[in-house]
Amino acid sequence: MGLQTYEIPMSLYADNRKRVLKAMQASGEEGVALFKGGVATERYDSDHENLFRQESFFAYVFGVTEPGYFGAIDLKDGHSTLFIPRLAEEYAIWMGRIHPPSYLQKKYDVDDVFYVDEMAAKLNAYEVVHTLHGQNTDSQSWCEEFEVEELTARVEKGKLHTATMECRVCKSTAEIDVLRYVARISSEAHVKCMQMIEPGMAEYQIEACFQHYCYSIGGMRNMAYTCICATGPNSAVLHYGHAGAPNNRIFGDGDMALMDMGAEYNCYCSDITCSYPVNGKFSADQRVVYSAVLAAQEAVFAAIKPGVEWVAMHRLAERSILEVLLREGFLLGATVEELMGHGIGSVFMPHGLGHLLGLETHDVGGYPAGRERVPGKLGVSKLRMNRTLEEGMVLTVEPGCYFVEILLTKAMAEPATSRFFNAEAIKRCISFGGVRLEDDIVVTADGMENMTMCPKQIEDVEAVMAGKEWPPPPPAPVA
Amino acid sequence: MGLQTYEIPMSLYADNRKRVLKAMQASGEEGVALFKGGVATERYDSDHENLFRQESFFAYVFGVTEPGYFGAIDLKDGHSTLFIPRLAEEYAIWMGRIHPPSYLQKKYDVDDVFYVDEMAAKLNAYEVVHTLHGQNTDSQSWCEEFEVEELTARVEKGKLHTATMECRVCKSTAEIDVLRYVARISSEAHVKCMQMIEPGMAEYQIEACFQHYCYSIGGMRNMAYTCICATGPNSAVLHYGHAGAPNNRIFGDGDMALMDMGAEYNCYCSDITCSYPVNGKFSADQRVVYSAVLAAQEAVFAAIKPGVEWVAMHRLAERSILEVLLREGFLLGATVEELMGHGIGSVFMPHGLGHLLGLETHDVGGYPAGRERVPGKLGVSKLRMNRTLEEGMVLTVEPGCYFVEILLTKAMAEPATSRFFNAEAIKRCISFGGVRLEDDIVVTADGMENMTMCPKQIEDVEAVMAGKEWPPPPPAPVA
């Protein structure tokens, strides 16, 4: 096995710091910006140490992999300082070599390194210390509040959060390079799973295969999120795979599989979904549903460019899916616009089209000030972003078409909408689950680049599952 | 790939509840015992849901895999009740089927299932509600305190913790069966790693291989603890492998590897360490150090039985290691007892000999009332248990011999101890790291059973690394 891991240049984080500096300066802020890194945690009351994963804002500006740090950026000149924990001598026996500040200054390429117990003295040289204070629009949770002992400088909360969050929305070239690497390795791992799957296996064996590939080949120890390895009716459960539904179904012949898996590398995430028949051959119904989702993804891909509204892309995906379902007779007696008017799009796709991707799978910045959620219960209202597309945004595009029993039962019982459904076709598909196709893309100056490299066309999926090399080798040079 | 996962009978948890009931009744307690299950958590302020892992006390009495439950045991008749969260209708779309109480009553084989919002009313039928309140002797952390809204019954804290902790110390036959399964699969995974390792690979590729085997073959999604895949000098860092030292060294030819890895299954843990040369052949020094540790483990195995003091086993291991180091000329000019008197044992083995193993890797109950830590800084004082052995205890036996630079430098500079060290031999080994051999054993009526099945003798290790089948096939029947 070869090592092909990716070396992230420390300049990536220096550039991120420059962005934050510029944004704070642009709004006239002075003093120092102080970020608190994540701390080590134990499980419940035990001494089981959870594997540390850096907090994403801190990862953005410093790229530090160890717990217990703080970091500061001088808002006049960008001077960067890390504050590290002072470790007891015994640390060397249990945890490893105790590195001096000079080593860490070089490793993280910052201007200065001091100990955390020296922090207040350093910060008190400033009049204002900015700390992160703000709400995550996906979780509704707030940044952890913290106090620095013996700090006498004035603490200013809130401005740093808005500024840093906005910096994180459009990715730098160096960040896109990392995200492209994560997407590539995760794509290869998906292909590996497609080529291994067969009836009789368990869903978690796909998860195990995916994780193994990403870690042993890509050096990716963490998944970006809990793997969703859904087959049969489980594919209609959008966040399947958690501890209460832990990828433990045995595949039947004829099942569709919906595999939503992505690794992360130094906190940069991928988020990819492939859907395919477990036995390697699409049935007629599977073809219809898959084609509807593929058409939606292709329509969105063709439309993405700077200036386009993300909500419009969601609507476009809904329309594309409904068009195919109408054409194939799963829906009846209406135009696509009528179906849209009755909200039938969200019956088949109850989630949003996609989200920002970066240091979080659901990355920050989806709802800037002045942009609100579209009202409603499902579908477009579930979008994690309502923004105009800009160059450098990295997004998932993940249309899906699902047969969710409680949604279909309700819509088919509703007098205003029941006539649109071909009851026989729907009944046939109720144990089908669903199809989702999810790729990671970056918005370019005049369109987009797809960083995901999994087979998509039905004939390619079937060929790859039958053993065909993917991606196909480049054509031989003309003699 | 075949599926060979293990079905845990719900009677295991019913038996655990009976043990707790009996213990509480024996000390004259009345009313009801109330346990709080773990809750779902998100990472920092994001919506990244951490993979849920049940709290171990709750796992012990109910075996529930989902978050947000409570459970009660009537202390008169043992009547068991689970209280489940009332889920919103949308749960079915995102997380999966909403099971009615009757389904969960059957799944978890309890007498009753109600919703959490009905809990206070049910509990108020009792005069006393016992809740867990106590300190973990490894982490020094306390159980989470919680209040039940609208509870009017008197809450009694503390007694339930002591009783349940003592119940968890000696394992039931059903629990030992699960632990034996986890140890077997983890042992097979270790053998797989031994057969794959070669110079030029990275430490994390061993972790990836181990996890993949345990998950895809054994259905074990979680590791019992972060894998320690240490080679070269890293083997002298006892808790290597954490995020700050993440198993990322490339193996050199001639390195020793110390692989401390164990999976868990439904919260039951394994904890196994194998040590072997990366290139498959022990060098002369490697043989000496390995033999010292193996001699220590064998001496302890031969001595373990009910009634024996664990502290005495630690001392026995220290003596065995020192004996070999003396015999081989690594130590000089003293008897083993003189070396012991000067604390030289803890220079080479700064950690404890082993610990209780069960629903936690470092399982509870190591220091019952009246038993204290042995004074000192390292070695025996680090023991996570100071108890007399009893039938049914499951323990790790993990002697080790390490060349820890800061410890050796100090001891070799100390006037009272410097003369014991063969400076030339020690110098040769300072980049060696260390050797640990760790097996999971159960104390039986007259001795012990080793549940771990990895090769141990030098000739077996070398043969297995060269491709020999392990465990060896049974001998052919005599014709």
Side-chain angles (χ1 to χ4, degrees), chain B residues 366-381:
Chain B
Y367 287 91
R371 287 290 187 114
E372 304 294 333
R373 285 192 184 253
V374 179
K377 277 191 77 171
L378 293 172
V380 72
S381 69

Side-chain angles (χ1 to χ4, degrees), chain A residues 44-45 53 94 139 207 239, chain B residues 44-45 53 94 139 215 239:
Chain A
Y44 303 113
D45 63 340
R53 198 273 195 192
W94 302 90
S139 65
E207 179 176 358
H239 290 168
Chain B
Y44 304 112
D45 64 339
R53 198 271 194 189
W94 301 90
S139 64
Y215 197 9
H239 291 170

Side-chain angles (χ1 to χ4, degrees), chain A residues 47-64:
Chain A
D47 72 342
H48 174 100
E49 193 163 307
N50 298 312
L51 182 60
F52 175 72
R53 198 273 195 192
Q54 187 56 274
E55 191 280 323
S56 296
F57 279 104
F58 198 75
Y60 182 70
V61 279
F62 289 104
V64 165

Side-chain angles (χ1 to χ4, degrees), chain A residues 1-3 5 38 42-48 51-55 65-66 89-91 93-96 136 138-139 141-143 196 202 204-205 207-209 212 215-216 219 221 224-227 236-244 246-247 250 350-351 360 362 377-378 382 384 406-407 410, chain B residues 1-3 5 38 42-48 51-55 65-66 89-91 93-96 136 138-139 141-143 196 202 204-205 207-209 212 215-216 219 221 224-227 236-244 246-247 250 350-351 360 362 377-378 382 384 406-407 410:
Chain A
M1 261 189 286
L3 283 176
T5 59
E42 293 178 336
R43 191 175 64 202
Y44 303 113
D45 63 340
S46 79
D47 72 342
H48 174 100
L51 182 60
F52 175 72
R53 198 273 195 192
Q54 187 56 274
E55 191 280 323
T65 55
E66 300 95 333
E89 196 187 34
E90 247 193 46
Y91 183 97
I93 302 171
W94 302 90
M95 305 295 274
N136 183 298
D138 292 315
S139 65
S141 298
W142 290 77
C143 292
M196 188 191 69
Y204 62 74
Q205 292 181 308
E207 179 176 358
C209 173
H212 180 248
Y215 197 9
S216 66
R221 192 178 209 180
Y225 51 94
T226 300
C227 292
V237 177
L238 304 178
H239 290 168
Y240 182 74
H242 56 90
N247 295 332
I250 308 292
H351 60 69
E360 296 285 342
H362 300 151
K377 279 190 78 173
L378 294 171
K382 292 284 179 186
R384 291 191 168 85
I406 66 163
L407 296 179
K410 206 174 277 180
Chain B
M1 262 189 288
L3 282 177
T5 59
E42 293 178 336
R43 190 175 67 204
Y44 304 112
D45 64 339
S46 78
D47 73 341
H48 174 100
L51 182 60
F52 175 72
R53 198 271 194 189
Q54 188 55 276
E55 191 280 325
T65 55
E66 300 94 333
E89 197 188 34
E90 248 194 46
Y91 183 96
I93 303 172
W94 301 90
M95 304 295 274
N136 183 298
D138 292 315
S139 64
S141 298
W142 291 77
C143 292
M196 186 190 70
Y204 63 75
Q205 292 182 308
E207 179 176 357
C209 173
H212 179 248
Y215 197 9
S216 66
R221 192 178 209 183
Y225 52 94
T226 300
C227 293
V237 177
L238 304 178
H239 291 170
Y240 183 73
H242 56 91
N247 294 333
I250 307 292
H351 60 70
E360 295 284 345
H362 300 149
K377 277 191 77 171
L378 293 172
K382 291 285 178 186
R384 291 191 167 85
I406 67 161
L407 296 179
K410 206 174 276 180

